[in-house]
Each structure stands twice: as structure tokens, then as C-alpha cells.
Amino acid sequence: YPGYIGFIAALSNCFCASCNRIRFTATGFLKTCLYHDTGVDLGSSIRGGANDAELRRRFLEAVANKPSGHTFSFTAKEKNIFFMNSVGG
């Protein structure tokens, strides 16, 4: 089964300044950073009957407010531990 494996090297090769990645979850939440809980719940807007112009406005606003960087650290405190499997994919 051919495929590719990629590695996210956020600690050894911080690429936040050029990151153009976003994720739309199965529940309709547009995550603008895998580490942060920032983003916008577009699913509720869609289910609520929002038109294309409103969805576009909310999408562009979320992307414009994308965090400038993560807070990953090799010395993370207990409260800052983050597990990638909590993001989904």
C-alpha cells in the first residue's frame, strides 16, 4: 500500500512564521493552529443557515487571527503538555 510519511518538526525546525496550515474538523471547527484552541466554529454557522458571504467573512477573520507561533517546549510544565492525537486528523 504505497503512501508517504511526514514529520512535523515544530521544535527542531520552527516554521510558524511561514505556516499556512489550517484544519477543518469533522465537527465543523476550523482550527487555525494545531497547538492552539483558536479558530471558529463554522459548523454551527452552516447548520444555522449562514450564507456564503458570512462563511467567507468568518473564515477570513479566523485565518487573519491565526496565532503567530506555538508554545511547544522541551521543558513543558505539566499543565502545558499537548498530545497530537487530541487534534484529530
Side-chain angles (χ1 to χ4, degrees):
Y1 197 97
Y4 297 96
I5 295 176
F7 295 93
I8 301 173
L11 288 173
S12 60
N13 182 21
C14 186
F15 56 86
C16 294
S18 63
C19 178
N20 63 358
R21 296 172 181 162
I22 57 174
R23 180 166 295 179
F24 192 62
T25 69
T27 61
F29 190 80
L30 180 70
K31 288 187 70 64
T32 55
C33 178
L34 293 180
Y35 181 77
H36 293 278
D37 289 331
T38 60
V40 63
D41 182 10
L42 291 179
S44 293
S45 298
I46 293 167
R47 289 186 290 278
N51 62 30
D52 288 351
E54 175 64 13
L55 292 173
R56 178 180 168 81
R57 184 192 67 73
R58 295 197 70 210
F59 176 90
L60 293 174
E61 183 178 295
V63 171
N65 291 318
K66 183 175 170 62
S68 61
H70 63 69
T71 56
F72 290 134
S73 171
F74 284 115
T75 60
K77 302 283 187 265
E78 185 73 25
K79 66 180 179 174
N80 293 330
I81 293 176
F82 175 77
F83 299 99
M84 289 300 288
N85 66 347
S86 67
V87 175

